[in-house]
Amino acid sequence: MTTIKDIARIAGVSVATVSRVINESGYVNTDTRKKVEEAIKLMNYSPNEVARSLYKKKSKLIGLLLPDITNPFFPQLARGVEDRLQEHGYRLIFGNSDENEDKELDYIRTFVQNNVIGVISSTNFPDSDTYLNLNIPIVFLDRTSNESPSVYADGREGGRIAAQEIIARGSKHITILQGPAHIKPAQDRFQGAVEVFEELGMTYHVIQTSSFSYIEAGYWAKILFEQHLETDGVIASNDIVATAVLQEAHRLGKSVPQDVQIIGYDDIPLSSLLSPSLSTIRQPAYDMGREAGGLLIKLIEQDKVDEKIIQLPVSFVERETTRRK
Amino acid sequence: MTTIKDIARIAGVSVATVSRVINESGYVNTDTRKKVEEAIKLMNYSPNEVARSLYKKKSKLIGLLLPDITNPFFPQLARGVEDRLQEHGYRLIFGNSDENEDKELDYIRTFVQNNVIGVISSTNFPDSDTYLNLNIPIVFLDRTSNESPSVYADGREGGRIAAQEIIARGSKHITILQGPAHIKPAQDRFQGAVEVFEELGMTYHVIQTSSFSYIEAGYWAKILFEQHLETDGVIASNDIVATAVLQEAHRLGKSVPQDVQIIGYDDIPLSSLLSPSLSTIRQPAYDMGREAGGLLIKLIEQDKVDEKIIQLPVSFVERETTRRK
DNA sequence: TCTCCATGTGTAACCGGTTACATTCGTTAC
DNA sequence: GTAACGAATGTAACCGGTTACACATGGAGA
């Protein structure tokens, strides 16, 4: 591998001068600069980031921790983060936590060991020591914690909207699928929906689900209609579960949205391709990722950041699993 | 941050001894080891990987380059890779290439700058200088190139199976959706299907699509039925497009699979949740990722590796968008 | 003429680890 | 008695950059 010494030798200067050229710092004579640049081009040299990082105690790497990239909501977050950071020359070290605190801790440790300059995390444990003791900027994504920098969409409001819309469209026997208990945003949206029913004094049913996995989604859908066959409106905990409910409704000969209305959550890309296409509460996942990236960059590059907590709007996307008002 | 010097001071030994304890190398007296270990625990010390990496010219990082994590086929690959590597203490630097050679080059460069010890890449340009000149192990994933280490599923065979199955199930007017021209695996599966038709002397139609994006998928589905309304069998280039075709068929009042049979490709998780659920050619994406990770580890840790090219089987997953034989 | 400062460049310390080599001590073998 | 070797430990060079500091030069201002 070509090193700065090689370049220095070829250009007939010292390593300090080469470094100055690379970093555009300090004084360098125009002719000298030219010689160095030629040597760099000749050898196709690019500086070793590891050496840089060691001295500066800062790399160009950022740690990204997501629960599970296999859940189609998260790739969009990841993509948003990456696109934003890439524009500023930062790169990602990536890990899936599986909502598991130990795995998270392990990843965070290796992030730190690799001198990452910041972390973006969708964690269920934002208040753990791991994060409190972290002395690099951290942004919570799709999660919040007190005054910590975070980017998220208003889950409670999303839940409220889902309930309001499905009620306004005439469902009387509504079942809410409550997402996994340990996942904060899932509980927020559930609470939001429940609130609306309580406020209106309406009854509703709840099916508690314990994971967001594809395999189990079908199971919950079955349970739902087994326990509450009269259900004519379903507020699903996310679009995957909603898709499973849609399938189960078909299987039972119920037509959607005439017999049963369904509202999903997230607006994953496939929602619009289902038949009937899925009405859902949209979270602007890609933008959330971008915002998180942007916020982290600010935290890294600036002393003061005013808006450390960014809440993005959720919205009802009316498609074909709900009736017209 | 705590450094090895701090530990040495606290334990009353030299840095060399601490290093020996950490790495379990050389001779260390049992009592000394105990003192050092206590100091490490006391300070919650973990060694700086950057410094290590600089001296050793090797990190614990591996570069992973995928076209677009937003396409649901790739998260599974990524997950497989990560899970496998994680077991061996390796971490991922991740990037999306968007099938763009410049972006790829840029990522590969920063991988190298960060002393990654290996690269896994789904590239359309395996024979470019970028990869030829790379002097660290590289595994091509979902792609092949000559004798280079690679893990993939047999696209041609997948295409053949799709054609055979849909023909065997009675479709007469079959339209093949040909995936983007620059994506090798898409062309392989297309060629495989075409082969079968040629061998049987059957006619078929082709719609050439130019991307795998969600947004355009609906467009291609529309085009398909506009140009070939008589189509009673569709071999889609992947499951997303197949989903769009399914939707369009419904919209046109065609029932699936009675009027039109549809076969997808990939077997992304959502396929089984569609209604009707999607018959498709399954690629074992997660396993492909795991295998790629395993192969790379072998290449890194062993001198000789016998099986450098791993081909995984594709299979027909019979669901509800095809009729019974 | 002398001082001061901007310009230009090199030397060497430093970042936090790893490891080659030197040194010391105790035991064993001849 | 001493040569040889294993065990235990420390010193310092090294990895490839960055940068503080020293030093040289030349022109402007007093």
Side-chain angles (χ1 to χ4, degrees):
Chain A
M1 207 183 50
T2 318
T3 74
I4 198 171
K5 276 183 201 150
D6 300 324
I7 302 299
R9 190 165 28 74
I10 293 169
V13 299
S14 73
V15 292
T17 301
V18 176
S19 180
R20 286 185 197 108
V21 171
I22 300 170
N23 298 292
E24 304 183 52
S25 62
Y27 293 112
V28 181
N29 183 293
T30 316
D31 293 345
T32 312
R33 161 166 293 121
K34 209 158 284 170
K35 276 191 292 180
V36 172
E37 281 167 350
E38 275 164 18
I40 290 176
K41 185 164 285 175
L42 176 70
M43 303 300 293
N44 192 23
Y45 165 77
S46 51
N48 183 323
E49 283 295 335
V50 176
R52 270 189 175 162
S53 164
L54 179 59
Y55 182 86
K56 298 243 212 165
K57 304 189 183 207
K58 285 180 180 186
S59 68
K60 295 291 248 176
L61 297 173
I62 283 170
L64 175 64
L65 202 53
L66 296 175
D68 181 9
I69 195 77
T70 270
N71 173 331
F73 176 66
F74 294 111
Q76 303 197 84
L77 286 182
R79 202 56 224 259
V81 169
E82 193 211 320
D83 287 357
R84 189 77 167 79
L85 292 180
Q86 204 242 6
E87 295 163 8
H88 288 248
Y90 296 109
R91 297 291 128 108
L92 287 179
I93 305 190
F94 172 74
N96 291 291
S97 69
D98 289 324
E99 324 262 9
N100 172 331
E101 192 163 8
D102 287 340
K103 242 179 143 177
E104 247 184 71
L105 189 103
D106 194 46
Y107 265 114
I108 297 287
R109 191 199 349 258
T110 65
F111 289 170
V112 171
Q113 287 181 311
N114 283 286
N115 277 5
V116 300
I117 196 179
V119 171
I120 296 179
S121 172
S122 298
T123 178
N124 293 312
F125 320 97
D127 303 315
S128 72
D129 288 351
T130 317
Y131 293 104
L132 295 176
N133 300 333
L134 208 60
N135 48 10
I136 47 174
I138 157 105
V139 170
F140 293 114
L141 178 53
D142 190 36
R143 311 289 147 117
T144 356
S145 168
N146 311 319
E147 302 298 299
S148 305
S150 47
V151 175
Y152 64 103
D154 190 345
R156 195 171 135 271
E157 179 64 11
R160 292 187 63 93
I161 296 174
Q164 286 160 356
E165 293 290 346
I166 206 164
I167 292 168
R169 284 169 168 73
S171 288
K172 304 288 181 207
H173 303 285
I174 296 171
T175 302
I176 312 177
L177 285 158
Q178 179 179 9
H182 59 291
I183 300 179
K184 185 72 170 11
Q187 294 313 307
D188 288 350
R189 63 189 76 156
F190 174 71
Q191 290 304 335
V194 166
E195 261 178 41
V196 171
F197 286 99
E198 304 287 356
E199 285 168 16
L200 298 175
M202 283 182 68
T203 59
Y204 58 94
H205 297 294
V206 175
I207 300 282
Q208 160 92 58
T209 70
S210 63
S211 91
F212 272 153
S213 91
Y214 287 97
I215 301 147
E216 295 183 24
Y219 172 75
W220 305 121
K222 231 177 221 83
I223 297 283
L224 186 159
F225 288 113
E226 271 173 28
Q227 298 197 359
H228 308 288
L229 186 60
E230 77 286 8
T231 295
D232 67 352
V234 177
I235 296 176
S237 45
N238 71 5
D239 285 351
I240 295 173
V241 179
T243 306
V245 171
L246 178 57
Q247 185 184 59
E248 184 64 17
H250 278 153
R251 212 181 300 266
L252 296 172
K254 293 175 183 282
S255 59
V256 178
Q258 293 77 15
D259 301 338
V260 187
Q261 299 192 91
I262 303 171
I263 293 190
Y265 207 101
D266 284 346
D267 193 24
I268 61 175
L270 249 132
S271 311
S272 64
L273 292 181
L274 299 178
S275 36
S277 57
L278 186 66
S279 296
T280 191
I281 305 298
R282 171 176 172 75
Q283 297 198 73
Y286 181 79
D287 292 333
M288 287 166 68
R290 279 196 74 89
E291 289 292 337
L295 177 54
L296 186 61
I297 290 170
K298 272 193 199 158
L299 290 169
I300 288 167
E301 298 181 353
Q302 298 176 14
D303 304 336
K304 267 202 176 166
V305 178
D306 291 333
E307 286 186 69
K308 293 206 286 193
I309 297 179
I310 301 176
Q311 185 183 298
L312 274 72
V314 296
S315 55
F316 176 62
V317 179
E318 180 172 16
R319 295 209 185 92
E320 300 164 355
T321 56
T322 45
R323 302 191 283 268
R324 290 301 159 97
K325 262 201 258 203
Chain B
M1 208 182 51
T2 317
T3 73
I4 198 171
K5 276 183 201 151
D6 300 325
I7 302 300
R9 191 167 26 75
I10 293 168
V13 299
S14 74
V15 292
T17 301
V18 177
S19 179
R20 285 185 198 108
V21 172
I22 300 171
N23 298 293
E24 303 182 53
S25 62
Y27 295 114
V28 181
N29 184 295
T30 316
D31 292 345
T32 312
R33 161 166 293 122
K34 208 159 284 171
K35 276 191 292 179
V36 171
E37 280 166 351
E38 274 164 18
I40 289 175
K41 185 164 284 175
L42 176 70
M43 302 301 292
N44 191 24
Y45 165 77
S46 50
N48 182 324
E49 282 295 335
V50 176
R52 270 189 175 161
S53 164
L54 180 58
Y55 183 86
K56 299 245 212 159
K57 303 188 182 209
K58 285 180 180 188
S59 69
K60 295 291 248 175
L61 298 174
I62 282 170
L64 175 64
L65 202 52
L66 296 175
D68 181 9
I69 195 77
T70 272
N71 174 331
F73 175 67
F74 294 111
Q76 302 198 82
L77 287 182
R79 204 54 225 261
V81 170
E82 193 211 319
D83 287 357
R84 190 77 167 78
L85 292 180
Q86 205 243 5
E87 295 164 8
H88 287 248
Y90 296 110
R91 297 291 128 106
L92 287 179
I93 305 189
F94 172 75
N96 291 292
S97 70
D98 290 324
E99 323 264 8
N100 171 333
E101 192 163 7
D102 287 340
K103 245 179 142 174
E104 248 185 70
L105 189 104
D106 194 45
Y107 266 113
I108 298 286
R109 187 193 2 248
T110 66
F111 288 169
V112 172
Q113 287 180 313
N114 283 286
N115 277 4
V116 300
I117 195 179
V119 172
I120 295 179
S121 171
S122 299
T123 177
N124 293 312
F125 320 97
D127 303 314
S128 71
D129 288 351
T130 317
Y131 292 104
L132 296 176
N133 301 333
L134 209 60
N135 47 10
I136 48 175
I138 156 107
V139 170
F140 293 115
L141 178 52
D142 190 35
R143 311 288 148 117
T144 356
S145 167
N146 312 319
E147 301 299 299
S148 305
S150 48
V151 176
Y152 64 102
D154 190 344
R156 195 172 134 271
E157 179 64 11
R160 291 188 64 93
I161 296 174
Q164 286 159 356
E165 294 290 346
I166 206 164
I167 292 169
R169 285 168 169 73
S171 286
K172 304 288 180 208
H173 304 284
I174 297 171
T175 303
I176 312 176
L177 285 158
Q178 178 179 12
H182 60 291
I183 300 179
K184 185 74 171 7
Q187 293 313 306
D188 288 350
R189 62 189 77 155
F190 173 70
Q191 290 303 335
V194 166
E195 260 176 43
V196 170
F197 285 99
E198 304 287 354
E199 287 168 15
L200 297 175
M202 283 182 68
T203 60
Y204 59 94
H205 296 292
V206 175
I207 300 283
Q208 161 92 58
T209 70
S210 63
S211 93
F212 271 153
S213 93
Y214 287 96
I215 300 148
E216 295 182 23
Y219 171 75
W220 305 121
K222 232 177 219 83
I223 296 282
L224 187 158
F225 289 112
E226 271 174 28
Q227 298 198 358
H228 309 288
L229 186 59
E230 76 286 6
T231 295
D232 66 353
V234 177
I235 297 177
S237 45
N238 72 5
D239 285 351
I240 295 174
V241 178
T243 306
V245 171
L246 179 58
Q247 185 185 59
E248 184 64 17
H250 278 152
R251 211 183 299 267
L252 296 172
K254 293 174 184 283
S255 56
V256 177
Q258 294 77 14
D259 301 337
V260 187
Q261 298 191 91
I262 302 171
I263 293 190
Y265 207 101
D266 285 347
D267 194 24
I268 61 175
L270 250 135
S271 310
S272 64
L273 292 181
L274 299 179
S275 38
S277 56
L278 186 66
S279 295
T280 191
I281 304 298
R282 173 175 170 75
Q283 297 198 74
Y286 180 79
D287 292 333
M288 288 166 67
R290 279 196 75 89
E291 289 293 337
L295 177 55
L296 186 62
I297 290 170
K298 272 193 198 157
L299 290 170
I300 289 167
E301 297 181 353
Q302 297 176 13
D303 304 337
K304 265 200 178 169
V305 177
D306 291 333
E307 286 187 69
K308 293 206 288 193
I309 297 181
I310 300 175
Q311 183 182 300
L312 275 74
V314 296
S315 54
F316 176 60
V317 179
E318 180 171 17
R319 295 210 185 91
E320 300 165 355
T321 56
T322 46
R323 303 190 284 267
R324 290 302 159 98
K325 262 201 258 202

